[in-house]
C-alpha cells in the first residue's frame, strides 16, 4: 500500500500547484545554406561551367545584382545574321569574364566565356564580336593560323585549315570583328586583291609661280607679278618708252 501511495503522489503532484512546463519545440534544418543569394557571387574563382550553372536561369538584371564585381563593358551586340544580344564583360585582356544575354526581355543568359579559347568558341557559335585580340588568337593557333591577307587599312584575314572546311577570322585594328564562312571569306579576299591591283590615280604636279619682290632685270620688272606690301611700296619700273615720254614732257 505504501508503494502505491508514492506512485500516486508523483502522478498527481503537478495538480497540487506545481507549474506545468510547455513542451519545447525544436526545429532542425539540414543541408548547406545557399550563400550566393545573400553574399553575392565572386566570378573570379569560378569557371564558365560553374557560372553557367549558377546564373543559367537568371536574367541579366538578376545576374548583375548577384555578381560582386563592377562590369567594364555593358553593350548591345549584333550577330552576322542580325540577331541582337546584350554583352557584359568584367575585367580586360589577360583576365576577364564575358557574359552573353538575350537582348529581348527577360534577357536570360546565353553563354559564358572565361578564357580566350572560350571567347573564340562563343564568337564562332553565335557569330558575334565580343572582343578577342589578334595576340590572343595567335596564342590559340600558334602554328595553324595562316595570314592570307594583310591590308594597309589595318585589316587582316587568317585561315585555319580544319576538317571538313577551313575557318576564317577577320581582324581590324588587331581585334576580331568577324568569323566569315569560307565562301564569304573568299569573296571578300578577292575584292580586296582587286582593289589593291587598281593603280591609284596620278595627281598633277603642283604649279609654281614666280613673283618679284625687288630688283630683277628689266624683263622681270616688266612681266613678273610683284609682291606688294603696304609698308614698302614698290617703285614703277622705268623703261625706254617711259624715259622718252618723261623727256618730252619736261620743259
Amino acid at each position: 500500500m505504501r508503494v502505491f501511495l508514492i506512485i500516486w503522489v508523483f502522478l498527481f503532484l503537478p495538480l497540487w500547484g506545481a507549474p506545468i512546463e510547455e513542451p519545447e519545440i525544436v526545429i532542425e534544418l539540414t543541408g548547406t545554406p545557399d550563400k550566393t543569394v545573400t553574399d553575392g557571387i565572386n566570378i573570379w574563382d569560378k569557371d564558365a561551367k560553374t557560372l553557367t550553372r549558377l546564373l543559367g536561369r537568371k536574367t541579366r538584371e538578376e545576374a548583375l545584382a548577384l555578381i560582386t564585381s563592377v562590369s567594364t563593358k555593358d553593350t548591345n551586340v549584333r550577330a552576322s545574321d542580325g540577331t541582337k544580344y546584350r554583352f557584359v564583360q568584367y575585367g580586360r585582356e589577360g583576365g576577364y569574364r564575358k557574359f552573353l544575354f538575350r537582348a529581348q526581355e527577360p534577357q536570360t543568359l546565353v553563354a559564358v566565356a572565361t578564357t580566350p579559347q572560350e571567347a573564340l568558341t562563343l564568337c564562332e557559335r553565335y557569330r558575334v564580336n565580343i572582343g578577342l585580340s589578334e595576340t590572343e588568337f595567335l596564342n590559340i593557333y600558334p602554328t595553324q593560323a595562316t595570314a592570307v591577307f594583310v591590308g594597309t587599312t589595318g585589316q587582316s584575314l587568317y585561315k585555319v585549315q580544319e576538317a571538313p572546311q577551313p575557318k576564317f577570322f577577320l581582324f581590324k585594328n588587331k581585334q576580331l570583328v568577324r568569323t566569315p564562312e569560307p565562301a564569304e571569306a573568299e569573296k571578300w579576299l578577292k575584292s580586296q586583291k582587286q582593289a589593291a591591283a587598281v593603280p591609284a590615280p596620278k595627281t598633277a604636279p603642283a604649279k609654281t609661280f614666280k613673283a618679284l619682290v625687288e630688283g630683277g632685270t628689266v624683263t622681270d620688272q616688266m612681266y613678273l607679278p610683284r609682291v606688294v606690301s603696304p609698308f614698302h611700296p614698290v617703285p614703277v619700273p622705268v623703261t625706254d618708252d617711259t624715259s622718252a615720254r618723261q623727256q618730252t614732257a619736261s620743259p
Side-chain angles (χ1 to χ4, degrees), residues 64-143:
L64 268 60
L66 289 174
I67 295 174
T68 56
S69 301
V70 179
S71 63
T72 54
K73 188 177 295 186
D74 191 339
T75 184
N76 292 321
V77 294
R78 185 188 296 268
S80 57
D81 62 356
T83 305
K84 295 181 180 179
Y85 296 95
R86 187 74 182 183
F87 171 61
V88 181
Q89 176 174 313
Y90 294 84
R92 294 175 176 81
E93 184 176 348
Y96 49 64
R97 297 291 186 267
K98 298 176 182 285
F99 297 85
L100 192 66
F101 297 87
R102 290 178 176 83
Q104 295 181 348
E105 296 295 340
Q107 292 191 335
T108 52
L109 182 67
V110 175
V112 182
T114 60
T115 65
Q117 178 64 69
E118 292 172 350
L120 181 60
T121 301
L122 196 156
C123 291
E124 292 182 79
R125 180 176 180 182
Y126 297 99
R127 319 288 293 177
V128 293
N129 173 21
I130 60 168
L132 185 76
S133 70
E134 193 170 358
T135 301
E136 290 177 310
F137 170 77
L138 293 176
N139 287 335
I140 297 172
Y141 296 110
T143 59

Side-chain angles (χ1 to χ4, degrees), residues 112-203:
V112 182
T114 60
T115 65
Q117 178 64 69
E118 292 172 350
L120 181 60
T121 301
L122 196 156
C123 291
E124 292 182 79
R125 180 176 180 182
Y126 297 99
R127 319 288 293 177
V128 293
N129 173 21
I130 60 168
L132 185 76
S133 70
E134 193 170 358
T135 301
E136 290 177 310
F137 170 77
L138 293 176
N139 287 335
I140 297 172
Y141 296 110
T143 59
Q144 303 94 322
T146 303
V148 294
F149 178 83
V150 178
T152 57
T153 58
Q155 290 183 316
S156 55
L157 182 67
Y158 287 87
K159 177 181 179 181
V160 176
Q161 190 65 45
E162 290 187 358
Q165 60 183 3
K167 295 180 179 180
F168 291 89
F169 304 88
L170 180 62
F171 289 81
K172 186 172 184 180
N173 299 327
K174 304 296 183 179
Q175 292 292 321
L176 180 66
V177 293
R178 276 196 299 153
T179 56
E181 294 291 342
E184 181 186 358
E186 294 292 348
K187 183 178 180 181
W188 181 89
L189 183 61
K190 183 179 180 180
S191 66
Q192 294 298 313
K193 289 182 177 180
Q194 289 176 346
V198 176
K202 294 182 179 180
T203 57

Side-chain angles (χ1 to χ4, degrees), residues 7-116:
I7 295 174
W8 184 85
V9 168
F10 279 95
L11 289 176
F12 294 96
L13 184 61
L15 300 178
W16 296 345
I20 302 175
E21 296 183 0
E22 296 182 357
E24 183 178 352
I25 300 175
V26 179
I27 300 175
E28 295 183 0
L29 299 177
T30 59
T32 304
D34 187 3
K35 294 183 178 181
T36 60
V37 177
T38 57
D39 298 339
I41 296 177
N42 178 15
I43 59 176
W44 301 109
D45 60 357
K46 297 173 179 61
D47 57 15
K49 184 178 180 180
T50 304
L51 291 173
T52 302
R53 177 177 57 82
L54 293 173
L55 302 173
R57 297 183 179 180
K58 304 292 183 183
T59 65
R60 170 179 158 273
E61 184 178 355
E62 292 171 340
L64 268 60
L66 289 174
I67 295 174
T68 56
S69 301
V70 179
S71 63
T72 54
K73 188 177 295 186
D74 191 339
T75 184
N76 292 321
V77 294
R78 185 188 296 268
S80 57
D81 62 356
T83 305
K84 295 181 180 179
Y85 296 95
R86 187 74 182 183
F87 171 61
V88 181
Q89 176 174 313
Y90 294 84
R92 294 175 176 81
E93 184 176 348
Y96 49 64
R97 297 291 186 267
K98 298 176 182 285
F99 297 85
L100 192 66
F101 297 87
R102 290 178 176 83
Q104 295 181 348
E105 296 295 340
Q107 292 191 335
T108 52
L109 182 67
V110 175
V112 182
T114 60
T115 65

